[in-house]
Amino acid sequence: MHARRPAAPLDPHRWIVLAILSGSLLLISMDTTILNVAFPSLVGDLRPGAVQQLWIIDVYALALSGLLVTAGALGDRWGRKRLLMAGFGIFSAASLIAVFSTEAWHVIAARALLGIGGAAIMPSTLSILRTVFTDARERAFALAVWAAVFGGGMAFGPVVGGLLVQDYGWHSAFLLNLPVAALIVAAGLRYLPESRSARSAGRWDWWGVGQSIVGMLALAGGIKQLGKSGIAAPLPWALLAVAAALLTVFVHRQLHAENPLLQVRLFAKPAFSVAAAAIFLPMVGMGAILFLVTQWFQYGQGYTPLEAGLRLLPAPLALICASMVAPRLMHRFAIRHVLGAGLVVLAAGMALPWTFQQFADLGYPAFAVALTVMGLGAGIATTAASVTLISAAPAEEVSSAAAIEETCYELGSAMGVAVLGSTAAVLYRGNLPALDLDGSTLAAVRESIGEAAHIAEQLGGTVGKGLIEAASQAYTLAITPAFLVAGLLAVTAAATTWTMIPRDLRPTENH
């Protein structure tokens, strides 16, 4: 009979550490979506061109996605606390640049630096959390808080952004970062423990770093271009081909490296790979839905940025509540059932707008119900997936697990906006009725619901009112099938969960 291994000592400051890491993550996750409502004001003030507008929106996610793997490996070698503090230094400097921006390229540079800072911060939060919380049950609760903060922050971003922008202008969306970052750094320097990986010794793999960064930038850029240019354009496919080639070489290199930047062998564990898929596939749907609903609220229904943000609240509130309940469910039931059931509830919420539309015209109450159900499912599913993924990775490989998890979040959301957003755009154009407009105006109306709303405001009167009503109806009919596809992706993830995760897996129990 084997003696039970003694439990690792508990960090006396672990709950303070969790609060610091949660504040860090809240800032990063809010910055992902806060520009959604600040963007119209920014465009009106700085007048960026069409290409500059795309860079302002995309450069943050591109920098973040491209550097996550490298940042995780750097934290293992340099120190995770040190990297987190450096990340906040970059993040604060970038926020200052944005606050004092007077040209579009200033904002583009600031958003790129924000992405670099975010890439340094995000893997560090999970790596430190895994190091500090050595008890499996406490770690499950801490990861539940992490998931609630991340999901809630992304949804609260438009609310906070709308409140600030409405009263203080778009600069205030960036100014908010400074006092929060200062508070986190002050607390972090005192309470966060330093940690490194025992496997991080040896030469720094510069070739691997280059392959990872360029490959991930090409992948994220290709996904985004696919949504903007369409499947017939050569640029997105060229970027995706470059990404496939470089990332294939990168994976082969990591499999044979003595001290890999990314431990890709983690995917050989069914629980790990399924948990990663259970984050990626729902994020494809959630990223698209949050984007499409925000557009529908502001352009289709005429809500102000603050009103649009407030109407998204059912999703984050439900997500936070569900995330807090998830650890109890995971302790009582097998993880495969908790994760699978959460994904099914999420899928049901995604399908509700399409279902409601079959019987009546869609209004906000239908979307509020759907957002609530989606939030409940997402809270349970993302928490269970995070606990499964992090628990499946050995402590010395947690940075690789953290980088993979956050890459799933970022690329999943980008893929959703690109693919499902493009699907909705095609359906929107197909649903538009015949309009008595000249050629260039009609082309602009067919481009997007945002352009249609802008032109309707310029036309004014009954003509403008008729135009926005027609465009809003076409957009409503366009987005619900995209929601249905998102639901099918969540069902696919649920089926994979029940098929591949071992029946006896209990990541909330100490072994």
Side-chain angles (χ1 to χ4, degrees):
M1 186 174 180
H2 297 287
R4 187 173 180 177
R5 190 170 51 186
L10 299 176
D11 189 315
H13 298 131
R14 61 193 182 280
W15 301 113
I16 299 176
V17 169
L18 178 60
I20 296 168
L21 298 179
S22 297
S24 305
L25 188 65
L26 181 64
L27 198 60
I28 299 301
S29 57
M30 282 178 54
D31 232 64
T32 305
T33 56
I34 199 169
L35 198 64
N36 288 355
V37 293
F39 192 66
S41 300
L42 187 153
V43 170
D45 186 16
L46 300 183
R47 299 291 181 182
V51 174
Q52 289 177 320
Q53 289 184 37
L54 293 178
W55 276 109
I56 290 171
I57 294 171
D58 291 344
V59 73
Y60 177 82
L62 288 174
L64 188 64
S65 302
L67 291 171
L68 280 172
V69 171
T70 300
L74 183 60
D76 282 348
R77 177 180 294 254
W78 193 41
R80 292 150 184 165
K81 174 183 176 178
R82 187 181 294 179
L83 183 65
L84 184 72
M85 296 297 103
F88 270 111
I90 297 170
F91 204 80
S92 299
S95 299
L96 271 176
I97 293 172
V99 167
F100 292 105
S101 294
T102 56
E103 301 286 345
W105 70 268
H106 298 166
V107 181
I108 294 170
R111 291 274 291 169
L113 283 174
L114 284 169
I116 294 171
I121 294 167
M122 286 185 70
S124 300
T125 62
L126 268 181
S127 300
I128 295 172
L129 188 151
R130 175 68 173 82
T131 303
V132 169
F133 285 90
T134 54
D135 178 78
R137 182 178 289 196
E138 286 190 354
R139 184 166 61 245
F141 175 78
L143 287 168
V145 173
W146 189 95
V149 168
F150 186 78
M154 289 184 69
F156 276 123
V159 180
V160 176
L163 189 62
L164 291 171
V165 170
Q166 186 163 289
D167 293 332
Y168 304 107
W170 63 268
H171 295 86
S172 61
F174 297 99
L175 187 62
L176 174 69
N177 295 338
L178 296 172
V180 179
L183 183 63
I184 292 169
V185 169
L189 288 172
R190 178 170 181 179
Y191 291 108
L192 291 181
E194 186 59 279
S195 64
R196 295 175 177 82
S197 172
R199 297 187 180 182
S200 62
R203 293 180 60 189
W204 183 244
D205 184 6
W206 288 107
W207 282 110
V209 168
Q211 291 159 3
S212 167
I213 292 175
V214 178
M216 290 301 298
L217 284 173
L219 178 59
I223 290 170
K224 287 181 173 293
Q225 281 298 319
L226 196 63
K228 295 178 174 66
S229 307
I231 60 173
L235 178 59
W237 296 111
L239 288 171
L240 292 174
V242 170
L246 285 175
L247 294 178
T248 299
V249 173
F250 173 75
V251 169
H252 183 267
R253 186 182 184 87
Q254 299 311 297
L255 286 171
H256 295 87
E258 185 177 351
N259 296 299
L261 292 172
L262 183 71
Q263 189 54 263
V264 293
R265 293 185 190 277
L266 287 170
F267 283 103
K269 299 181 178 184
F272 184 91
S273 56
V274 171
I279 293 170
F280 177 78
L281 291 176
M283 278 308 299
V284 172
M286 288 297 289
I289 286 171
L290 286 175
F291 172 75
L292 294 172
V293 169
T294 303
Q295 299 286 306
W296 186 77
F297 284 161
Q298 290 193 72
Y299 297 124
Q301 302 300 301
Y303 297 135
T304 66
L306 177 57
E307 290 171 340
L310 289 172
R311 280 164 175 77
L312 287 172
L313 278 178
L317 293 177
L319 185 147
I320 291 168
C321 293
S323 296
M324 294 298 96
V325 173
R328 290 187 180 184
L329 297 176
M330 288 185 283
H331 187 69
R332 185 170 181 180
F333 303 104
I335 193 72
R336 62 200 295 268
H337 295 315
V338 178
L339 179 53
L343 289 167
V344 169
V345 173
L346 175 61
M350 290 171 166
L352 277 177
W354 181 86
T355 306
F356 287 145
Q357 197 176 60
Q358 308 310 304
F359 302 99
D361 290 336
L362 275 182
Y364 176 70
F367 275 105
V369 171
L371 288 169
T372 302
V373 177
M374 278 188 272
L376 291 172
I380 294 172
T382 55
T383 302
S386 291
V387 171
T388 303
L389 187 144
I390 294 298
S391 300
E396 62 272 15
E397 295 170 2
V398 67
S399 291
S400 289
I404 290 168
E405 175 171 356
E406 283 144 7
T407 300
C408 288
Y409 275 109
E410 292 300 321
L411 289 184
S413 180
M415 179 76 81
V417 173
V419 177
L420 297 185
S422 297
T423 302
V426 171
L427 293 174
Y428 162 74
R429 288 191 285 272
N431 290 324
L432 276 174
L435 297 169
D436 186 18
L437 299 169
D438 63 73
S440 59
T441 304
L442 181 60
V445 168
R446 289 173 57 81
E447 184 66 25
S448 69
I449 181 70
E451 287 293 328
H454 179 66
I455 290 170
E457 186 178 359
Q458 288 181 328
L459 292 173
T462 55
V463 176
K465 184 179 179 181
L467 172 58
I468 193 59
E469 286 178 354
S472 178
Q473 178 66 16
Y475 192 69
T476 305
L477 291 171
I479 62 176
T480 52
F483 287 18
L484 192 61
V485 174
L488 292 175
L489 291 175
V491 169
T492 302
T496 306
T497 296
W498 274 309
T499 303
M500 295 184 63
I501 289 186
R503 295 175 180 273
D504 58 348
L505 182 65
R506 296 273 182 169
T508 59
E509 295 179 2
N510 292 307
H511 298 289

